[in-house]
Amino acid sequence: DAKTTQPPSMDCAEGRAANLPCNHSTISGNEYVYWYRQIHSQGPQYIIHGLKNNETNEMASLIITEDRKSSTLILPHATLRDTAVYYCIVRVPYSNYQLIWGAGTKLIIKP
Amino acid sequence: SAVISQKPSRDICQRGTSLTIQCQVDSQVTMMFWYRQQPGQSLTLIATANQGSEATYESGFVIDKFPISRPNLTFSTLTVSNMSPEDSSIYLCSVRTASYNEQFFGPGTRLTVL
């Protein structure tokens, strides 16, 4: 199973774009990249996922490099409520939909 | 999306006792999972709850310690047996529906064992 590497923590000013990097250099061709976040004392929340094309939804954008070895989650206008731990996960295919969780990035949005 | 509720939301228990955590989903789901999140740590999958049959446990977790039931497509329970302080964690129920690609999580049960 591919593993991911994320910086342990990041700061971002409120109203600015938050760019969270993730390395997944051993990802296989049919594995997707998923992003979740966990706000303090809550269960994880799905944000976005992608295979190889860039994706955008109402919460965020996901940019995946052409070689698929890394990706960046972009929160375009960060607010204080975006302070959370952000997890980049590579999905294990055909294995009971198991998500392998790393340590994540603690993102702190500062006023 | 699926709305998941867990009971209790938190509990403080004595060493040697057992606690059963309930997970209720507002719609039928294909798969249900139980995770543990120890203080300051990431999530660890305990087991996949299978409807009408024994749960599938991950390495390091056994049925005697974490018995799981799933009597139907919307409900599951996880029991933490013979608790010790090392079992103090947040326990999370998670589901996947047939129509959505993402996985949904309940609010968690915060367990403290004294």
Side-chain angles (χ1 to χ4, degrees):
Chain A
D1 298 338
K3 297 186 185 297
T4 61
T5 304
Q6 299 176 252
S9 64
M10 292 181 62
D11 293 344
C12 180
E14 187 179 18
R16 305 295 293 269
N19 297 280
L20 292 92
C22 179
N23 288 321
H24 30 79
S25 59
T26 60
I27 192 171
S28 62
N30 59 350
E31 290 182 314
Y32 287 69
V33 180
Y34 283 77
W35 282 84
Y36 283 77
R37 73 179 182 183
Q38 188 174 25
I39 297 171
H40 183 62
S41 297
Q42 298 182 22
Q45 175 190 22
Y46 165 84
I47 300 173
I48 199 168
H49 73 280
L51 181 61
K52 53 184 176 182
N53 296 322
N54 297 338
E55 302 288 345
T56 297
N57 63 20
E58 65 279 3
M59 289 183 66
S61 295
L62 174 60
I63 308 298
I64 302 174
T65 58
E66 191 169 341
D67 63 9
R68 301 207 328 121
K69 292 185 177 182
S70 65
S71 60
T72 300
L73 178 74
I74 301 172
L75 307 179
H77 305 287
T79 70
L80 297 178
R81 289 176 295 179
D82 291 322
T83 293
V85 178
Y86 286 76
Y87 295 97
C88 168
I89 300 163
V90 174
R91 173 181 174 181
V92 178
Y94 316 121
S95 180
N96 288 335
Y97 198 77
Q98 194 178 134
L99 299 176
I100 310 299
W101 298 77
T105 295
K106 183 170 178 57
L107 175 66
I108 299 174
I109 306 301
K110 297 188 173 182
Chain B
S1 64
V3 178
I4 306 168
S5 60
Q6 287 185 232
K7 291 182 180 179
S9 59
R10 60 177 61 232
D11 207 343
I12 300 174
C13 301
Q14 295 297 319
R15 179 196 300 261
T17 63
S18 298
L19 176 72
T20 295
I21 303 168
Q22 297 179 4
C23 175
Q24 180 73 55
V25 191
D26 68 343
S27 58
Q28 293 186 348
V29 294
T30 55
M31 304 190 78
M32 297 183 76
F33 308 94
W34 286 98
Y35 286 82
R36 180 175 72 181
Q37 187 171 29
Q38 295 176 302
Q41 303 296 313
S42 185
L43 281 72
T44 301
L45 180 64
I46 298 172
T48 302
N50 301 309
Q51 190 211 352
S53 64
E54 191 172 289
T56 304
Y57 290 85
E58 297 301 307
S59 176
F61 297 96
V62 295
I63 188 172
D64 289 346
K65 175 67 176 177
F66 298 102
I68 289 170
S69 77
R70 187 180 173 191
N72 56 50
L73 293 175
T74 63
F75 184 79
S76 177
T77 66
L78 167 74
T79 299
V80 186
S81 304
N82 188 26
M83 289 184 285
S84 67
E86 291 71 33
D87 294 319
S88 297
S89 293
I90 298 173
Y91 291 86
L92 293 149
C93 174
S94 179
V95 305
R96 180 194 178 199
T97 68
S99 59
Y100 292 95
N101 199 11
E102 64 266 31
Q103 193 163 326
F104 301 96
F105 287 82
T109 296
R110 184 179 295 273
L111 171 62
T112 302
V113 184
L114 302 177

